[in-house]
Amino acid sequence: MSRRAMVRPGGRSARVQQAVHTAVRELQAEVGRPELTVPMVAARAGVTPSTIYRRWGDLQELLSDVAVEHLRPEAPPEDHGDLLADLHGWAEQFLEEMASPAGRAYIRDALLGDAEGDNAGRCSAYAAEQIAVVLARAEERGEDAPDVETVLDRVVAPMMYRILFRPAGLTDAYAHRLAREAVQGFGAPR
């Protein structure tokens, strides 16, 4: 079981997590990721290094935890009035955020510090939740829509592959094409 799974929500534990995450983000901006150390983070957060080691294990696990929290969407996807427009907007934003240098670094950190794969599952759940909102809106409007897994397979999976291994040519047009192909045959215009 991962260390993060054993943490109690709220109280001192939540305050420590918030302080440590804030310290990591601030220090990454100030000194850069390669210069970051656990003692440096601990001093900034006002905790002991042993607190960080006990809770996260090592710097890579801490960076992974911070990355996953950064990748969590802050708001539901924007409602543009129809399925294709909603999916275009979401796919554009997702691609822009994930393909940026900071986004790619967060993706790498999220995956590298988590041997059990929990963070990949959390990141996937964030995307699935956002897509579910888009699809639920479409269904409420009476539009035919694919299921979440279809959109993950046809939009998110190819984007993530390209972001990680072939980042050239990642444009809004690419995001729009994937979104359009994901909803073809489900009542959306071609």
Side-chain angles (χ1 to χ4, degrees), residues 38-188:
V38 168
M40 186 184 295
V41 171
R44 175 68 62 98
V47 300
T48 64
S50 63
T51 298
I52 292 175
Y53 290 121
R54 189 172 43 254
R55 179 148 182 192
W56 285 280
D58 62 22
L59 182 61
Q60 188 59 57
E61 282 191 50
L62 171 58
L63 293 174
S64 182
D65 193 45
V66 170
V68 170
E69 287 304 310
H70 178 83
L71 294 171
R72 180 184 2 198
E74 295 177 7
E78 194 172 339
D79 187 344
H80 298 280
D82 70 62
L83 173 59
L84 189 56
D86 287 355
L87 200 51
H88 276 171
W90 182 84
E92 257 181 50
Q93 182 178 356
F94 182 84
L95 183 62
E96 179 182 320
E97 290 173 8
M98 298 298 155
S100 71
R104 287 194 320 266
Y106 280 124
I107 292 166
R108 283 190 303 272
D109 280 343
L111 298 177
L112 287 175
D114 182 37
E116 296 173 19
D118 294 338
N119 287 344
R122 287 171 56 200
C123 291
S124 178
Y126 297 155
E129 289 165 8
Q130 294 275 295
I131 292 165
V133 168
V134 168
L135 299 178
R137 287 179 185 154
E139 289 177 11
E140 288 170 9
R141 291 187 294 255
E143 297 176 85
D144 290 329
D147 62 17
V148 170
E149 292 301 316
T150 297
V151 177
L152 286 171
D153 288 346
R154 294 182 181 178
V155 178
V156 178
M159 277 188 196
M160 291 304 293
Y161 179 85
R162 292 286 304 272
I163 288 166
L164 292 171
F165 302 112
R166 297 179 60 92
L170 295 175
T171 63
D172 287 350
Y174 173 70
H176 288 193
R177 179 176 61 82
L178 293 175
R180 188 177 56 254
E181 290 171 357
V183 299
Q184 282 179 343
F186 291 96

